[in-house]
Amino acid sequence: MAARRQQEEEPEERSRAAGGCVLVVLGGGALAVVFAVSTEAGILAVWVVGTVALWRSARRRMSDSSATPPPPSEGDVYAAHSDEIDRVQEGPGEGLLILYPKRVEREVKP
């Protein structure tokens, strides 16, 4: 009884791939109808759909996630730039270490 309630409470997750497959099947059916009416119209429809898809993918903006990070400012100190490491801490990933350098007092230029 408890297993039945749990199944009723948890809705089934929908897959994006399943939605894509439905769209491909519907598009293929529509294209088959166009080809059945006229072969020339079917060929023209394939060219138009391909051109529109290519144009849309070329016009799409890239995300900023692949952009290089900005250069560090002069006040930043990184572990790679320091000879002495204050402490080492394990990161969230396997084999990931976070190095904390010893603080270096720098003169502030007026």
Side-chain angles (χ1 to χ4, degrees):
M1 183 88 175
R4 187 176 187 191
R5 282 187 188 158
Q6 187 179 12
Q7 287 179 351
E8 291 176 6
E9 292 175 6
E10 295 178 9
E12 187 175 323
E13 293 184 27
R14 297 184 180 191
S15 170
R16 293 181 71 181
C21 289
V22 169
L23 289 177
V24 167
V25 168
L26 290 175
L31 189 61
V33 169
V34 172
F35 265 104
V37 171
S38 169
T39 305
E40 290 83 11
I43 293 171
L44 183 63
V46 169
W47 274 97
V48 167
V49 168
T51 303
V52 169
L54 182 63
W55 181 77
R56 284 192 62 190
S57 66
R59 298 288 297 168
R60 185 176 297 162
R61 291 184 177 265
M62 286 189 69
S63 67
D64 289 338
S65 64
S66 63
T68 57
S73 64
E74 289 186 29
D76 292 341
V77 177
Y78 294 98
H81 299 145
S82 176
D83 294 335
E84 298 181 23
I85 296 174
D86 188 31
R87 64 185 171 102
V88 178
Q89 178 182 351
E90 285 199 32
E94 185 178 332
L96 179 67
L97 296 176
I98 302 172
L99 306 176
Y100 292 94
K102 288 189 176 180
R103 294 284 179 197
V104 178
E105 297 298 325
R106 295 186 179 205
E107 294 179 19
V108 178
K109 296 178 182 177

